[in-house]
Amino acid sequence: QVQLKESGPVLVQASETLSLTCTVSGFSLTNYGVIWVRQPPGKGLEWMGIIWRNGNTDYNSALKSRLSINRDTSKSQVFLKMNSLQTDDTAIYYCTGGWFAYWGQGTLVTVSS
Amino acid sequence: DVVMTQTPPSLSVAIGQSVSISCKSSQSLVYSDGKTYLHWLLQSSGRSPKRLIYQVSNLDSGVPDRFSGTGSQKDFTLKISRVEAKDLGVYYCAQTTHFPNTFGAGTKLELK
């Protein structure tokens, strides 16, 4: 059974760095990529970036200068780091695998000024 | 970036009615392998999105055949026959042919 679960802080101060972890089970990170998607409250979905099964990454160009995605395959974890947070980065952050076939429950991150 | 234009933005439907949602992309979604990576997702209130259809017309496991997807190149349609209450929520089209992957703005399906 495939599962993904996001974890990390619920409140971050503006200008600081967000660190989130996606812990997966039921599949290997060396077999499937993981995508991060975010959703501001009441708005639509934004694709943030992907870490491919070979460890390569691709990022949304709008976020690329602030975003990095890494992983620890031994722990089945994918990490998102985004710096210089602003209030409009307040969103539910999801990790998803299998080309959107599997989703975590999402974690709401609020950026406070 | 590929722009995904979904219409209508909202739909009011009676239970048992059929509806269609359109998704048009600014570029062809045919990948170099000949496949088209256009998917449909449903986000019910307060829940994570759930993929219903992948690669235009393939139903995910457990998705009833009241759902169907059609289309090609840049023009795609999701049809829901005999809408049930559990079908309500926001539908998104999503493309994974090009990077960055992009989503439509969503179509909210509500009860009339």
Side-chain angles (χ1 to χ4, degrees):
Chain A
Q1 181 186 2
V2 174
Q3 292 187 319
L4 300 93
K5 185 172 184 180
E6 306 87 351
S7 58
V10 296
L11 183 65
V12 180
Q13 297 299 313
S15 79
E16 293 189 345
T17 296
L18 172 66
S19 295
L20 295 175
T21 299
C22 173
T23 302
V24 311
S25 58
F27 71 95
S28 169
L29 295 176
T30 57
N31 289 334
Y32 293 96
V34 169
I35 292 170
W36 286 94
V37 173
R38 69 178 180 175
Q39 184 173 37
K43 296 191 177 180
L45 303 169
E46 180 182 25
W47 188 91
M48 300 182 71
I50 182 173
I51 186 160
W52 295 88
R53 58 183 180 175
N54 64 3
N56 289 348
T57 53
D58 280 296
Y59 300 115
N60 186 326
S61 56
L63 302 172
K64 190 172 183 176
S65 63
R66 303 194 288 137
L67 181 63
S68 68
I69 299 174
N70 293 287
R71 69 182 186 179
D72 182 335
T73 55
S74 67
K75 294 183 179 178
S76 294
Q77 292 181 323
V78 175
F79 309 107
L80 176 148
K81 281 191 188 323
M82 191 162 70
N83 59 30
S84 304
L85 287 185
Q86 299 302 317
T87 53
D88 60 2
D89 292 312
T90 293
I92 300 172
Y93 287 75
Y94 297 99
C95 56
T96 169
W99 299 111
F100 309 133
Y102 310 104
W103 291 74
Q105 85 276 14
T107 185
L108 175 61
V109 177
T110 301
V111 181
S112 170
S113 58
Chain B
D1 297 359
V2 176
V3 177
M4 306 295 286
T5 302
Q6 259 185 263
T7 54
S10 65
L11 272 173
S12 291
V13 61
I15 298 300
Q17 194 178 344
S18 294
V19 296
S20 291
I21 299 169
S22 170
C23 177
K24 296 184 191 297
S25 58
S26 60
Q27 299 177 34
S28 171
L29 299 185
V30 181
Y31 190 56
S32 54
D33 63 3
K35 297 180 181 177
T36 302
Y37 294 95
L38 182 283
H39 321 290
W40 290 97
L41 314 173
L42 166 61
Q43 187 173 32
S44 303
S45 180
R47 306 290 298 272
S48 302
K50 172 188 173 183
R51 196 180 71 181
L52 302 174
I53 290 174
Y54 63 97
Q55 293 177 37
V56 181
S57 59
N58 298 287
L59 266 60
D60 274 285
S61 176
V63 175
D65 60 8
R66 298 183 294 100
F67 291 86
S68 61
T70 58
S72 62
Q73 300 285 334
K74 297 165 59 175
D75 195 351
F76 305 92
T77 301
L78 172 70
K79 182 177 179 181
I80 312 168
S81 303
R82 306 181 305 280
V83 167
E84 299 182 5
K86 61 185 176 183
D87 301 336
L88 304 180
V90 181
Y91 288 82
Y92 295 95
C93 58
Q95 66 82 20
T96 56
T97 298
H98 302 283
F99 284 88
N101 300 161
T102 45
F103 299 93
T107 296
K108 188 171 185 179
L109 188 64
E110 303 173 296
L111 265 184
K112 191 178 288 184

